[in-house]
């Protein structure tokens, strides 16, 4: 069921979005050579506790997960694309890590992800990250009243395909509200002009993710982490976006993105 949010409900979602953005800002700042994935997870957990927020991940146990997730944060390193379960692993120079975080504040959820190049960036990773960011921007730009869901999907998929990257359609964006995953499903490719009409009050997570050489995943022995079938590296970015009368409003802008808007 598609739920449209009232202005008061959108305020609740904005508050959650700002908290999620602040946590990702802190995590990006902390991500560096030698830092352990469990330290990043603990930082997210501390910020949740200090804010009196609730984790969306700790008890999360969908059909595709082997057991409850048990951590606060997804950390997907190099060939890990999605749902990376943090474990004791120190980041090394050249790693490519995506941080995916969702939390509930006063009953409203926001969900966002960022990909960080650790230490010395690799040129091929930079191209992948730049492409997935452009795909996110294109998807957000299409999230306007009167457009259709397929316009968002098509905008994302076009950027990926034009850059030569295959697109996996198993996992994509989703409605966000009182819980982390709701309708609609937002595939990362599709046909423009198809699907439901977007109306003000619709809130969804838009989340392109790409693997450099394949669209196929396999599940790690940890029961959660999804890795590229060919070992190629992956990048994932996500924002929670509200469709408003004036166009898309990104609820999870991080500080650098807010500053860029004001510049
Ligand atoms: Mg997410």
């Amino acid at each position: 069921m598609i739920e449209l949010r009232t202005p008061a409900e959108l305020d609740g979602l904005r508050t959650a979005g700002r908290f999620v953005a602040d946590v990702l800002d802190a995590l990006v700042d902390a991500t560096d050579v030698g830092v352990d994935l469990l330290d990043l997870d603990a930082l997210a957990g501390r910020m949740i506790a200090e804010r009196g927020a609730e984790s969306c991940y700790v008890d999360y146990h969908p059909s595709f997960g082997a057991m409850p997730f048990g951590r606060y944060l997804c950390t997907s390193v190099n060939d890990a694309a999605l749902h990376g379960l943090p474990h004791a692993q120190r980041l090394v120079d050249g790693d490519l890590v995506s941080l995916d975080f969702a939390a509930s504040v006063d009953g409203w959820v926001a969900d966002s992800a960022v990909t960080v190049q650790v230490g010395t960036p690799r040129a091929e990773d930079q191209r992948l990250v730049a492409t997935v960011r452009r795909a996110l921007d294109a998807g957000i730009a299409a999230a306007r009243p009167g457009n259709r869901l397929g316009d968002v999907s098509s905008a994302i998929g076009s950027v990926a395909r034009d850059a030569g990257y295959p697109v996996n359609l198993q996992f994509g964006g989703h409605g966000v509200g009182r819980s982390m995953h709701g309708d609609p499903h937002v595939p990362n490719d599709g046909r423009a002009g198809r699907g439901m009409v977007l109306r003000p009050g619709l809130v969804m997570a838009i989340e392109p993710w790409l693997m450099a050489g394949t669209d196929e995943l396999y599940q790690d022995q940890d029961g959660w982490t999804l890795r590229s079938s060919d070992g190629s590296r992956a990048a994932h970015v996500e924002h929670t976006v509200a469709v408003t009368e004036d166009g898309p409003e990104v609820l999870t802008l991080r500080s650098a993105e807010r500053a860029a808007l004001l510049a």
Side-chain angles (χ1 to χ4, degrees):
M1 189 181 70
I2 307 291
E3 294 179 89
L4 299 179
R5 303 301 171 186
T6 65
E9 290 175 331
L10 279 180
D11 279 342
L13 286 154
R14 279 186 194 101
T15 300
R18 183 58 178 264
F19 171 69
V20 165
D22 288 348
V23 173
L24 282 176
D25 272 334
L27 289 167
V28 169
D29 284 348
T31 298
D32 206 349
V33 174
V35 171
D36 198 291
L37 299 178
L38 290 179
D39 295 334
L40 296 176
D41 186 65
L43 172 57
R46 276 200 305 280
M47 290 185 75
I48 284 176
E50 284 166 11
R51 183 65 172 74
E54 273 182 51
S55 171
C56 294
Y57 287 178
V58 168
D59 298 322
Y60 186 54
H61 190 188
S63 57
F64 54 79
M67 71 288 289
F69 191 71
R71 301 281 180 198
Y72 300 99
L73 177 71
C74 291
T75 54
S76 301
V77 182
N78 297 339
D79 65 315
L82 295 174
H83 304 162
L85 183 67
H87 52 90
Q89 176 182 340
R90 288 192 187 281
L91 292 167
V92 301
D93 191 55
D95 274 350
L96 183 66
V97 56
S98 72
L99 308 168
D100 188 355
F101 179 73
S104 175
V105 179
D106 299 328
W108 294 105
V109 170
D111 189 359
S112 186
V114 60
T115 294
V116 181
Q117 295 177 264
V118 181
T120 316
R122 296 186 183 189
E124 63 269 31
D125 291 347
Q126 269 173 317
R127 183 170 172 273
L128 184 69
V129 171
T131 302
V132 81
R133 283 186 188 152
R134 272 192 291 120
L136 177 59
D137 289 344
I140 291 168
R144 316 187 70 83
N147 272 3
R148 291 179 179 267
L149 195 61
D151 295 320
V152 175
S153 296
S154 166
I156 294 168
S158 300
V159 170
R161 280 183 279 106
D162 288 352
Y165 297 114
V167 179
N168 172 296
L169 296 177
Q170 281 173 282
F171 296 94
H174 47 89
V176 177
R178 290 282 186 188
S179 65
M180 178 166 62
H181 290 136
D183 293 329
H185 173 62
V186 188
N188 283 328
D189 201 3
R191 293 176 66 180
R194 299 293 181 94
M196 59 173 274
V197 175
L198 306 180
R199 301 194 188 286
L202 177 68
V203 179
M204 56 189 166
I206 298 177
E207 52 174 321
W209 59 280
L210 295 171
M211 299 177 284
T214 184
D215 60 356
E216 289 182 28
L217 294 162
Y218 72 94
Q219 192 173 56
D220 187 278
Q221 288 176 351
D222 67 14
W224 273 99
T225 305
L226 296 174
R227 298 183 184 277
S228 67
S229 62
D230 65 351
S232 65
R233 289 181 164 207
H236 174 210
V237 290
E238 175 178 22
H239 272 310
T240 297
V241 180
V243 177
T244 78
E245 300 279 2
D246 301 326
E249 179 183 344
V250 181
L251 305 182
T252 44
L253 285 178
R254 295 183 304 281
S255 58
E257 295 168 312
R258 293 195 297 270
L261 282 184
L262 293 173

